[in-house]
Amino acid sequence: MAIGTLDWVSAAERLELLAEPVARAVGGLDGVEVAEIDPELADTAAFCERYGVDMGESANCVIVAARRAGEVRYAACMVLATTRADVNGVIRRHMDARKISFAPMDDAVTLTGMEYGGITPLGLPEEWPVLVDEAVAAHPEVVIGSGVRRSKLAVPGSLLAGLKTAQVLRLAN
C-alpha cells in the first residue's frame, strides 16, 4: 500500500493498534491495513497534512442519533473528508427520524467502545446501520479510523459497502 508516508501492515498482524471491538471485527476481513500515527495528529486535517494523505483519500465516520416517538436510534455515516454528510436532509429522511443530530461525544464513545476521533464503522454495535456515501463505496482505498487515535486503517471502499449493515446512499453535499 502506498497511501501517504505511512508504514502500512496487515491489521491482523498489529491488533494492539486497534480498539477491542475493531480488533474483533477485522479478524475475518481481507484487505484491512493499519498504520501507527501520532495520536495528537488523529484529526483529519492535521493527519492528512503530516502524513501526506490527500483529503480525498480519507473518509470520516460520524455517529448520528435519530429520534422519533421517544425512541433513539444510532447510525454511522461514512463520507469523504472533502465532503459533508447531509444529516438534516438525506440521512434524517432515510432513518425516518423526526429529529436527528450528531451523537453526543460521551454517548458515541460509550456505545462504540472506541475513542473519540478514532470511531470507525468496523466493530460497531450490530444493530446500527452503516450509511456509506457512494463516493466512499466506489473509492479503491480510503483511510479511516481504527477505534483509537494512535493509528489509522486503510480499506477498500467496497469493503465498507459490503459490511453486513451497510447501505450505500448519496449522503454528501
Side-chain angles (χ1 to χ4, degrees):
M1 163 140 351
I3 296 178
T5 60
L6 295 156
D7 294 321
W8 297 98
V9 298
S10 168
E13 295 173 19
R14 298 290 313 271
L15 294 177
E16 76 279 5
L17 290 177
L18 311 175
E20 192 252 322
V22 179
R24 281 195 315 266
V26 301
L29 300 174
D30 291 327
V32 180
E33 296 193 326
V34 66
E36 193 165 6
I37 65 165
D38 179 340
E40 297 298 316
L41 301 173
D43 294 333
T44 305
F47 163 78
C48 287
E49 182 178 330
R50 168 60 180 86
Y51 295 104
V53 175
D54 186 87
M55 293 279 282
E57 292 178 302
S58 185
N60 292 327
C61 180
V62 295
I63 304 299
V64 295
R67 292 171 180 79
R68 183 176 202 80
E71 177 189 9
V72 179
R73 292 172 288 122
Y74 295 92
C77 303
M78 295 298 304
V79 295
L80 291 177
T82 54
T83 63
R84 298 177 66 126
D86 184 5
V87 174
N88 288 310
V90 173
I91 297 168
R92 182 184 61 78
R93 285 189 302 275
H94 180 76
M95 293 191 67
D96 192 28
R98 185 184 56 74
K99 183 178 180 192
I100 194 163
S101 61
F102 294 109
M105 177 178 60
D106 289 345
D107 292 352
V109 168
T110 300
L111 294 169
T112 64
M114 300 179 202
E115 295 176 4
Y116 189 75
I119 294 176
T120 188
L122 304 177
L124 289 176
E126 289 182 14
E127 66 276 9
W128 289 17
V130 176
L131 308 179
V132 181
D133 184 68
E134 294 170 335
V136 173
H139 209 287
E141 202 106 53
V142 290
V143 176
I144 63 174
S146 65
V148 295
R149 293 182 61 86
R150 70 178 188 274
S151 64
K152 293 284 187 181
L153 295 176
V155 300
S158 60
L159 183 142
L160 298 174
L163 292 173
K164 185 174 161 183
T165 62
Q167 299 166 36
V168 177
L169 304 163
R170 184 173 301 210
L171 298 178
N173 57 18

